[in-house]
Amino acid sequence: MKIALRTITASMALAFCAQAALAGVSAEEAAKLGTSLTPMGAEMAGNADGSIPAWKGAYTKVAPGYANGTPRPDPFAGEKPTFSITSKNMAEHAGKLSDGVKALFARNPDFRLDVYPTHRTGGAPQWVYDNTRKNATSATLEDENSVSGAVGGIPFPIPKDGLEVMMNHRLSWYGQSVDYALRTFIVTADGRRALASEGDELLQYPYYITDSYKGIFQLGRFIVSGPASKAGEAILVHFSADKDVPRGVWQYLVGQRRVRKAPSVSYDTPDFVTSGVGLFDEAFMMFGPIDRHEYKLVGKKEMYIPYNNNRSALATIDELVGPKFLNPDHVRWELHRVWEVEAALKAGKRHTVPKRKYYIDEDTWQIVLFDGWDAKGDLWRMNYALGYLVPELPAHVTNVMWGGYDLQTGAYYFNAAMNGGSPHYKVSEPRSEILWSPEELANQGAR
């Protein structure tokens, strides 16, 4: 009897240990947060030659006289590029460029990267750091789209695999509730620019409203005001990080005058907001379910990426959106450490982009670049997020000013452009549940 009892006890202990191993890292590992690692899990130290400085806290200097919702100044407006990368010297820097950026150089000999001093401005409020520390030992990845044991902070600040890194992006810090006026522009292969969409975007992140979080980590609503052919259309999304809470997407179409569920707004369905140039799961650098691919964590590397691009938001569309690529005069690139994650299509699944490489900023856990290959193995797509600094949150965010290039046709698009619009990434108080209902969508979208 004693032997049987010891066997049962040992089995229970093993089961507990196995569960504990799945539920985050050990307390000893978590203790690195705030010491050798930043509170969000990045390397605290700079790199060997000093071109990437040590992290010294989030950027919190709000410009004197700044009013919420107005364009934020470029805090580094007085800086000049340290050097430029062109098609002539690209080979010298190839090890720190993505495949997609190198392909842009190959296609456009006049493309250019102006590289500025690196500023590690990413960060969050102290309460997000505190929650991240708690999550480090308690978060459990349930499947490709859900996580338990985490709220109000990065779930896996010391990740063990690629899927945990992708979940860190999904649950990264953008604020609690924001809104902005956006426009989407497409540029055809022959250089003609057209307005694809215009309207008001509201985003709310209940995962960071910790006392009321119920599994829906993001709410989004886009009411279209232009062009005239689309005016009045609307889309509403409820994104879940809980496997027991369903995801919801609804669309209001003017011609039908009713709200309908829109399950096709996902995966590789062409994104109507970009007139089909982009795919839905490319929106905001990652949108909707991601369960058709396997995610392999390759590691961390230094790379030139767009960063701290408040200057881009201050330019006019005529200045910024060129006939072949974004005007290099208005795009800032910096050297940062990024996590590299490779996505490969699962056996038995279908997707027009079977392979992707994602690059995730170590300081914010947000995707800044990714490349996509077609079924023939040819490089096809290169997506980017310019990065926008919001000192008063504080945060460096990539849910505005993102887009993508079709490297095979030469077309590209620039989405979530705040240029010339109002408001600019306005930080708001959390809105009531009623606003995020399909019924309210009908009221807002109707014309």
Side-chain angles (χ1 to χ4, degrees):
M1 183 66 183
K2 289 182 177 179
I3 294 175
L5 183 59
R6 283 199 295 269
T7 302
I8 293 171
T9 302
S11 298
M12 292 177 63
L14 286 171
F16 176 79
C17 289
Q19 185 177 2
L22 292 173
V25 300
S26 67
E28 290 74 20
E29 286 182 281
K32 296 176 183 175
L33 298 171
T35 54
S36 59
L37 301 177
T38 71
M40 304 272 271
E43 293 177 52
M44 188 76 82
N47 65 354
D49 65 9
S51 53
I52 297 177
W55 186 82
K56 295 182 179 178
Y59 187 92
T60 59
K61 298 177 184 176
V62 179
Y66 169 74
N68 189 19
T70 61
R72 293 168 180 80
D74 175 7
F76 310 116
E79 292 185 348
K80 301 295 182 184
T82 306
F83 62 94
S84 295
I85 303 174
T86 68
S87 56
K88 294 181 179 178
N89 67 356
M90 183 196 73
E92 300 172 25
H93 306 280
K96 295 176 181 174
L97 299 174
S98 71
D99 293 321
V101 170
K102 286 184 279 191
L104 273 182
F105 276 115
R107 187 177 183 91
N108 305 290
D110 50 344
F111 182 58
R112 189 182 84 242
L113 262 64
D114 286 342
V115 180
Y116 290 78
T118 296
H119 294 281
R120 297 180 65 182
T121 52
Q126 183 62 46
W127 61 268
V128 173
Y129 299 156
D130 295 341
N131 286 331
T132 298
R133 177 67 177 269
K134 296 174 185 175
N135 294 342
T137 57
S138 62
T140 299
L141 195 61
E142 299 289 348
D143 58 32
E144 292 93 337
N145 299 305
S146 60
V147 60
S148 62
V151 68
I154 300 300
F156 305 104
I158 306 174
K160 299 186 289 293
D161 56 44
L163 200 51
E164 290 187 349
V165 173
M166 301 304 282
M167 190 60 74
N168 284 349
H169 164 82
R170 175 155 283 178
L171 299 177
S172 58
W173 166 247
Y174 299 98
Q176 292 179 316
S177 187
V178 299
D179 59 278
Y180 51 87
L182 72 79
R183 287 185 289 170
T184 304
F185 294 91
I186 58 172
V187 181
T188 59
D190 59 1
R192 290 177 297 168
R193 188 182 73 213
L195 175 67
S197 296
E198 180 176 23
D200 297 316
E201 179 83 53
L202 305 182
L203 296 171
Q204 189 151 300
Y205 299 92
Y207 177 80
Y208 283 95
I209 307 171
T210 56
D211 57 349
S212 60
Y213 176 59
K214 299 175 183 176
I216 297 295
F217 73 90
Q218 180 181 334
L219 299 163
R221 196 185 76 175
F222 179 50
I223 307 294
V224 181
S225 58
S229 59
K230 293 184 176 179
E233 293 183 0
I235 188 168
L236 171 70
V237 298
H238 292 186
F239 285 152
S240 172
D242 186 328
K243 59 183 175 60
D244 297 321
V245 178
R247 164 183 179 265
V249 180
W250 297 265
Q251 189 176 8
Y252 178 82
L253 296 174
V254 173
Q256 300 179 10
R257 292 184 177 275
R258 66 189 180 104
V259 174
R260 301 182 60 177
K261 285 193 172 182
S264 63
V265 177
S266 60
Y267 300 114
D268 53 358
T269 302
D271 180 357
F272 55 76
V273 176
T274 64
S275 296
V277 180
L279 307 177
F280 268 116
D281 66 1
E282 296 173 340
F284 298 93
M285 306 305 279
M286 190 176 81
F287 183 91
I290 59 169
D291 52 3
R292 292 186 180 176
H293 293 80
E294 304 273 7
Y295 297 88
K296 174 187 174 184
L297 181 57
V298 177
K300 194 184 282 188
K301 62 188 296 186
E302 296 179 6
M303 181 175 280
Y304 295 112
I305 58 174
Y307 216 90
N308 290 319
N309 267 303
N310 290 30
R311 66 170 50 209
S312 303
L314 296 173
T316 66
I317 289 299
D318 284 344
E319 292 171 334
L320 180 61
V321 182
K324 294 181 289 185
F325 44 78
L326 295 179
N327 184 346
D329 291 343
H330 298 283
V331 180
R332 179 188 181 101
W333 294 73
E334 298 180 3
L335 183 66
H336 285 260
R337 284 184 293 245
V338 297
W339 292 93
E340 181 179 355
V341 175
E342 284 189 7
L345 190 63
K346 289 180 178 177
K349 298 291 185 180
R350 300 185 64 179
H351 196 290
T352 56
V353 188
K355 175 185 173 182
R356 284 178 173 143
K357 286 185 180 179
Y358 290 92
Y359 301 101
I360 299 97
D361 172 36
E362 71 163 343
D363 286 323
T364 63
W365 292 105
Q366 293 173 15
I367 299 169
V368 287
L369 293 173
F370 72 82
D371 299 328
W373 283 258
D374 65 16
K376 297 179 181 178
D378 295 328
L379 184 58
W380 177 20
R381 317 179 74 80
M382 176 267 189
N383 287 65
Y384 62 90
L386 297 184
Y388 187 65
L389 186 54
V390 188
E392 69 272 26
L393 276 175
H396 180 272
V397 301
T398 58
N399 56 353
V400 290
M401 300 194 300
W402 47 268
Y405 291 87
D406 184 324
L407 299 170
Q408 297 180 3
T409 67
Y412 81 99
Y413 67 96
F414 181 50
N415 205 341
M418 301 183 291
N419 310 65
S422 179
H424 268 229
Y425 209 82
K426 183 179 180 182
V427 178
S428 306
E429 290 297 319
R431 295 173 166 86
S432 69
E433 291 186 6
I434 295 175
L435 183 80
W436 306 104
S437 67
E439 294 75 19
E440 180 62 15
L441 184 71
N443 294 333
Q444 294 294 320
R447 68 166 182 169

